[in-house]
Amino acid sequence: MLRGLSIKNFALIEQLQVSFDSGLITITGETGAGKSLLLGALGLLLGKRADLGSVKDNAQKCIIEGVFAIKQYDLASLFENEELDYEDETIIRREILPSGKSRAFVNDTPVTLQSLAALGVKLIDIHSQHQTLEVTTNDFQFEVLDALAETRREIESYKRGLRLLKEKEKEVNILVASQEEFTKEYDYNSFLLKELEEAKLQPRELQELEERYEKLNNIEEIQERLSSSVSLLSSEEIGVSDQLNMIKANLSKIASYSSGLKDVSDRVESIYIELDDIHVSLQNELEKLEADPQQLEDASKRLELLHSLQVKHAVSTVEELIVMMESLQEKVSKTESLSEDIEALQVSIEKIQIQLDEVAEKIHKKRKKALPQLIKELEIILNALGMPNATFNASLAMQEQYLSNGKETLEFLFSANKGGAFGQLKKVASGGELSRIMIAIKAILSRYTQLPTIIFDEIDTGVSGEVAHKMADLMMDMSKNLQVFSITHLPQIAANGQSQYKVYKEDIDNTTVTQLRLLTDEERVYEIAEMIGGKNVSDSALTHAKSLLHL
């Protein structure tokens, strides 16, 4: 409920701060006094867009702040989803800066207008004659019926199932589209894959193969040069090994004469050993060499195959060809398994549909049982509100398709006159009739569900006499379960409020400002007397006012 409202620098309101209690709160005042300004300020708290033109002094900041007691509204999950700090007493603040920029805060945390609107709709429900068309919408009619039918848990279950169904159907559609696309390329991909698999690709194969090919292709030159090198090393007269051996022998005889000669002798010894090892290696390499035209041809063909595959797939290594092969394997395998995946998803969808059908049937049964009760209660309340011949004719029809809140449509028809033809509310009900129907529906809803604070903005226009008393009683009955504000011109309703506030204008320092204040019991008597008989308050008007106030 709304516990407090503070407004600064908004339209004709310079500074206003007021507190509210629970129950029925009536707001009265002359036409043009500024009652609409209060609604405008509350609208900003509920997430409506700000207008710099509504700021009283453009050089100063406009601030609107509301304090809400929300413990009974079960809004902790909403705060969590919007990443807000939950407080049982929540403060919403809206600021309009001189620059025209607007800011919003919930418990001092900055929020977007979208988040503010999501919270605002849970806190205050504003109704005026211009907003009663909501009652003609199918969604609203289902909302009312479901409150009486107590289908909240079933509808939540249905909506979860419907979301899952849509997700699965989306997955199937994506797979079917992929299947169509992959099937077109399947034969070509299979051909490419087979070609790569038959090539039996091995990592680092290309480098080894190129070395083997070069060796086989140049074997004669290699043999010739290795043989020549061995001869140069081992020739008896001019062989490098023999000559180095002679140098080694000479130096070994004089090595003891100085450390320098010893060092040179050791180095020659090392070279001799290394040269001898080289000689053995050359001999081994020479012995291993053997011309093999078949191996050369095989290597040449293998290189040609690998190079052609590299060119075909626009890569430069065998490793990249292996990656390409793995990708093709995945595509081909996916194409082959798509049918199985689609079939599995379709089985899952059928199971979800069966469960949805079961829940939808439960919803339908509950709604069907509650519908006559809703019509009966509506007609009783409307009869008390001066519409004795108002009747409704409603029916539920099951459908094949899954709708947002079940598998049925609701036809809600109305007739205001005895023997009159039934028609859709928006076509046959007048504005005044829609206002009374809306009040009747809200009165019924207040018995079955926790509603936010309701503000009726002159929704009683055109009502008088005994009907006004009934409407006042109805609002009073609603206020037992929720906070109700009524901006009214009817003395019967104004007097029924547990508290009454007056909106008025006054001139301060040659400036007209709008004020709002709580009336005392004595002030209420004169205010209601004026509402009854005008500015010139008569004794009879005062007496009537006191009787309405039970004083």
Side-chain angles (χ1 to χ4, degrees), residues 395-426:
S395 62
L396 290 161
M398 292 296 287
Q399 306 295 316
E400 287 296 323
Q401 67 268 37
Y402 295 98
L403 305 174
S404 62
N405 61 352
K407 289 188 68 176
E408 59 201 317
T409 54
L410 171 63
E411 187 176 40
F412 207 76
L413 304 178
F414 171 73
S415 174
N417 304 306
K418 185 178 290 187
F422 286 98
Q424 293 180 351
L425 274 174
K426 61 184 175 183

Side-chain angles (χ1 to χ4, degrees), residues 4-23:
L5 180 64
S6 173
I7 303 173
K8 180 181 179 182
N9 194 33
F10 179 74
L12 294 179
I13 300 174
E14 193 170 275
Q15 181 89 35
L16 185 152
Q17 189 161 358
V18 62
S19 298
F20 301 108
D21 289 325
S22 58

Side-chain angles (χ1 to χ4, degrees), residues 462-479:
V463 174
S464 61
E466 184 60 26
V467 174
H469 281 290
K470 294 293 185 182
M471 190 171 285
D473 292 340
L474 195 61
M475 290 184 182
M476 181 59 115
D477 188 54
M478 291 174 64
S479 71

